Amino acid sequence: MDWLQRMNLAIDYIEDNLDHDIDYDQIARIALCSVYQFQRMFSFVLDIPLSEYIRRRRLTLAAFDLQDKKNKVTDIALKYGYETPESFSRAFQNLHGLTPSLARQSGSRLKAYPRLSFQIILKGVAGMNYRIEEREAFQVFGLEDVYGMDNIANKEGVTIPEVWQNISINGEFDRLLHSTSGDWQAEGRFGKELGAVFAFDSYRVTSNTTFPYLIGCYKSEKSKTDGYAIVDVPASTWAVFSTMHDGNASGIYDLRSLKTRIFSEWLPTSKYTIIDGGNFEMYCTHHDGYEYCELWYRIEEKR
């Protein structure tokens, strides 16, 4: 069974259970991946979180149910997972722009979000540059927190971009940078283009709706790690993708389009599958001076 079939069978399960509890673990079993990897693939390919897709589909079906005036609003709310008519009404109005009561009226303008399916779309001749690297186990250290998958924010409501901005202002970035010591690039077998500070995420399970994220550095023998989290990176095969193409940098911040292409174009057609255990976002400087990013994913050959 190929990647597309598995993803579409997972969507079948979701659609069959929109009026019941949806088990994220069952979705992952059908797709033959972890809950985190499924949500990651889903959001990168479709540009919306899985939870938002489920919400939109349920409220689309709820609007259809409201057209039959024999259906009580309370029953419809419970059917689609809302504990009270009030919470259902708020969610319905946020999506459709009017209350459930008004939606019953003839001529009401409602929104419909159709069922999706995964397909391979041919997008011309644009190639994807990547390399495969084998690496022994190593360690990284740095500032760690846990973030929600839907809002990419920690429990204080601070988003990842805001965290990067904050540590640049309060001096934490410089302290982390100066915690590296010696020729860590040579020790870790990294290229000279790689910057000392990078991001490492999803290296352990926190919950089905959160992921760990570390802003950190390679741990060498002389690194100063007091006060920092230390994370083991297992021996792995890595697929490495770059925002630099044919010697030209397409921009350090052009990561959304790169991630979308990885999950929608490279992954379905390659002989590899992305596995759990952590992903790197490396920040690099070319010898000509321009900046670019590399995305590192742990992989194994498809069985």
Side-chain angles (χ1 to χ4, degrees), residues 143 147 158-174 213 215 253 283:
L143 303 167
Y147 296 83
V158 183
T159 66
I160 288 176
E162 290 171 335
V163 170
W164 278 96
Q165 184 178 37
N166 291 342
I167 67 172
S168 296
I169 294 172
N170 64 22
E172 281 292 336
F173 182 90
D174 288 337
Y213 183 92
I215 300 173
Y253 301 113
Y283 311 110

Side-chain angles (χ1 to χ4, degrees), residues 1-7 41 45 118 263 267-268 302:
M1 184 184 300
D2 65 19
W3 182 87
L4 284 177
Q5 288 176 303
R6 297 197 307 269
M7 296 299 283
M41 288 187 287
V45 172
F118 284 86
F263 284 93
L267 186 61
K302 294 175 181 176

Side-chain angles (χ1 to χ4, degrees), residues 241-289:
F241 303 85
S242 175
T243 60
M244 184 178 67
H245 301 288
D246 300 323
N248 296 310
S250 60
I252 191 171
Y253 301 113
D254 190 22
L255 293 178
R256 165 57 66 179
S257 60
L258 178 58
K259 290 176 181 178
T260 299
R261 292 196 68 197
I262 291 168
F263 284 93
S264 64
E265 298 177 37
W266 183 83
L267 186 61
T269 57
S270 78
K271 68 176 184 179
Y272 299 104
T273 185
I274 293 174
I275 60 175
D276 291 341
N279 314 290
F280 283 103
E281 191 171 293
M282 304 287 201
Y283 311 110
C284 309
T285 303
H286 193 268
H287 58 76
D288 286 337

